[in-house]
Amino acid sequence: MREQRQDPGQGPLVTEMGRTTIADNVVSKIAGISAREVAGVHDLGGGAARMVGAIRERIPGSRTNLQQGVSVEVGERQAAVDIDIVAEYGVSVVDLSTGIRRNVIAAVERMTGLEVTEVNVTVNDVYLEGEDDGEQRESRVE
């Protein structure tokens, strides 16, 4: 079996045997899934993105957009991630953003071999228990 050798200037995705390219949407999905796994994250995305996501989910056969609220920049060896979230009320935003960074960096680096240079977290809203979550209320007028 032939051993893969790397030059000092090459990373795990660029070897003498060839190059592996990872699409932005792959990194975006990994980051979105790993951010949702953190306790205290209610949802991802800003108001408009969540509204479009809620409409999309009502369409038969559609799936949850795992990339909602996530944007990435992917290079040959590195990736940067921006995540917009809605936090659960009562959760420390500092601890939550630390947990999101840790989880996203670990998942992206483990699954892609890319070095994550930064994870920027924007908290767009705070979710309160019982708050209208896109469900239709009964009309008060006829």
Side-chain angles (χ1 to χ4, degrees):
M1 190 156 138
R2 200 165 158 181
E3 183 180 318
Q4 287 190 5
R5 287 172 271 142
Q6 293 179 330
D7 290 340
Q10 295 178 331
L13 299 174
V14 181
T15 68
E16 68 178 26
M17 300 296 292
R19 172 186 314 269
T20 301
T21 304
I22 299 173
D24 291 5
N25 67 331
V26 172
V27 175
S28 185
K29 273 186 182 180
I30 293 168
I33 292 168
S34 60
R36 281 181 169 82
E37 292 174 346
V38 178
V41 173
H42 175 71
D43 203 358
L44 296 187
R50 290 195 327 268
M51 192 178 317
V52 169
I55 293 169
R56 177 182 288 146
E57 288 176 6
R58 292 175 193 257
I59 298 171
S62 68
R63 292 181 257 152
T64 300
N65 180 4
L66 300 173
Q67 298 166 306
Q68 175 181 300
V70 180
S71 62
V72 299
E73 189 176 335
V74 179
E76 285 187 9
R77 295 182 186 95
Q78 297 177 325
V81 181
D82 297 321
I83 300 177
D84 295 340
I85 68 160
V86 176
E88 297 278 348
Y89 176 77
V91 173
S92 164
V93 173
V94 173
D95 293 343
L96 183 58
S97 59
T98 299
I100 291 169
R101 280 189 189 94
R102 186 176 329 146
N103 218 36
V104 168
I105 290 169
V108 171
E109 288 185 349
R110 178 179 52 82
M111 295 174 76
T112 66
L114 294 167
E115 174 193 2
V116 178
T117 58
E118 63 182 21
V119 176
N120 299 309
V121 179
T122 302
V123 180
N124 284 313
D125 201 358
V126 174
Y127 174 77
L128 302 170
E129 187 71 35
E131 188 175 57
D132 183 26
D133 195 21
E135 296 177 11
Q136 297 233 349
R137 291 186 190 168
E138 192 174 310
S139 177
R140 298 187 305 171
V141 294
E142 287 185 44

